[in-house]
Amino acid sequence: MKFTTCLAGLLAAVTQVQAASVFAHFMLINTKNYTLSEFEDDFKIAKDAHIDAFALNMGLTDPNTNSSLETAFVAAKNVGFQLFFSFDYNGGYHGGKPWPKETILDMAEKYFKLDEYFKYADKPLASTFEGTENAEDWIEIKNKTGAFFIPDWSSVSPEDALTLGSGVADGLFSWNAWPVGDQDMTDKSDAAYAWALKGKPYMMPVSPWFYTNLPGYNKNWVWRGDDLWYDRWNQVMDVMPAFVQIISWNDYGESHHIGPVRTNAMEAFEVGEAPFNYALDHPHDGWRHFLPYLIDSYKAAVAPSIKDEALMTWYRGSPALSCKDGGTTANAVAHDQETLTAAQIVRDKIFYSALLTSAAEVTVSVGGKAQKGNWTSTPDGGKGVYHGSIPFLSTGDVVITMTKYGTEIAKIDGRKIANECPGGLTNWNAWTGSTNALHVDDPSPSPTQTGGGPQSTASDNDSGASNLSQNGLVYVVFALVSLAVAGVV
């Protein structure tokens, strides 16, 4: 009996790991001009990044919700992708309004049953952006739809959130994805959620950046990005939440998008009365480059094999003090935070990460002046994601190169750093770039159990699946043996 109980617990733990899912926050309002093929393209790109579903952010006053939903679900069916609803109670076209429960029930009747609608534990997943004052509505919504409800009620503590609506939440999603002031992000907030939830699912936020200048929405601030993308994925591996939600796929107005920049989806800059479009010419595709490895590591709880080594970089296109700050503050009055100047929290640095099977060297050149980069973080055992940064002390063309065994294996010709600013204002957004690395052999390999020979710097295994299965089996067997030694079985 003890053996059966312990084995069931172990299998439940393995099932939890297998059920781990990664989502991306998707602003449906930005798809007013989307075609079916553009929805399909976004979904294909997300699938390639190993993202499981999009959380569709919808404001009640958004004019295109119904038409965009119909097209999106057709595209999801065509591509084999999944979606779920995130009801925005605060945002919307020219201001938000709370969602009536009758409207939510009508939408649930139409979409929750679809195969393309994401399910957790065979229940349709539903989320929110805020809506604490309407928590009671979800008692009836859940009873009538069978929804699994994980709201973002970050305006109150997780303990208080769990009491709203007579404890209607099945789990919680946190919007606390950015550090305050000149500090780096920690996982203290995530730990507080996990502690309060006591085993209920936690949806952990991960975001690479934050800059917004939309006076029409009373928004004009930055939160520190810098090392954030690297730091948060490390924290995911420490916390191991039930879900991860990337903020965001296409919220160009807040500069944390990791999806492609689509010129027909820029209405936020017009409606928000932005002084300039700070998303154009600032691609963020580089932040997706390592996602298959990072997401697979999270889902399996062990690092998969590395198929291709790679290099990525991100940085701002001008020094912090080169132009006027546009009234952009660090921290937000709207969040009851003490404000600083933006220049006090952002660092004039070029950030870079590399996915490697063994150590490599990085050189960063700005305006023809080369500096040898250093790794501020390296993976255990030498295989995994390396990370570092270097100050840019001048302006000019940016070139990042990576070498191994004296051979250049990767090169990124980056965006020029200049004192030129749009309308004389600083663009606090980031530019990203990435590339796969060339394969080179170690000229002086160490002997292996099967004899000497060149050691590949990138795995020739087309998939990490077999390694993951073997590692998972090893962990289960190890756990059972440990229990046996302890006298439990």
Side-chain angles (χ1 to χ4, degrees), residues 125-276:
L125 181 62
S127 187
T128 72
F129 180 77
E130 289 304 330
T132 54
E133 295 180 358
N134 298 80
E136 296 285 343
D137 292 353
W138 282 91
I139 298 174
E140 181 179 346
I141 294 170
K142 283 181 58 177
N143 286 337
K144 290 185 175 180
T145 66
F148 195 89
F149 184 46
I150 303 185
D152 158 48
W153 287 338
S154 300
S155 59
V156 299
S157 70
E159 290 82 4
D160 289 343
L162 289 169
T163 67
L164 296 176
S166 302
V168 71
D170 297 303
L172 291 175
F173 170 41
S174 168
W175 200 256
N176 187 15
W178 305 274
V180 176
D182 61 354
Q183 305 298 309
D184 290 330
M185 189 68 182
T186 72
D187 59 6
K188 289 183 179 179
S189 173
D190 306 297
Y193 269 84
W195 177 262
L197 284 162
K198 292 180 171 54
K200 288 186 176 181
Y202 173 50
M203 190 180 293
M204 181 173 171
V206 173
S207 188
W209 206 259
F210 193 103
Y211 162 51
T212 184
N213 189 350
L214 300 174
Y217 290 115
N218 296 314
K219 296 165 62 174
N220 188 6
W221 74 87
V222 298
W223 281 315
R224 174 180 279 181
D226 293 1
D227 301 293
L228 184 61
W229 190 238
Y230 171 80
D231 289 344
R232 282 304 273 170
W233 281 105
N234 275 334
Q235 290 161 12
V236 164
M237 293 303 296
D238 290 336
V239 176
M240 291 303 293
F243 306 107
V244 171
Q245 186 169 157
I246 297 169
I247 307 173
S248 66
W249 183 262
N250 65 338
D251 194 341
Y252 308 114
E254 293 186 352
S255 307
H256 43 54
H257 53 283
I258 65 165
V261 176
R262 299 194 182 276
T263 56
N264 64 343
M266 299 281 117
E267 191 173 6
F269 294 97
E270 179 181 348
V271 177
E273 302 171 11
F276 62 98

Side-chain angles (χ1 to χ4, degrees), residues 108-123:
E109 174 66 23
K110 182 175 182 179
Y111 290 105
F112 279 12
K113 60 190 175 185
L114 299 181
D115 291 339
E116 297 75 49
Y117 195 97
F118 185 88
K119 313 292 194 305
Y120 174 72
D122 294 325
K123 296 181 178 182

Side-chain angles (χ1 to χ4, degrees), residues 316-319 322-323 392 394-396 415-421:
R316 290 176 293 104
S318 63
S322 61
C323 302
F392 55 83
S394 60
T395 58
R415 179 185 176 89
K416 183 178 182 179
I417 294 175
N419 290 318
E420 303 166 0
C421 301

Side-chain angles (χ1 to χ4, degrees), residues 425-440:
L425 302 179
T426 298
N427 186 344
W428 302 101
N429 197 0
W431 180 93
T432 78
S434 65
T435 184
N436 279 344
L438 296 174
H439 161 81
V440 293

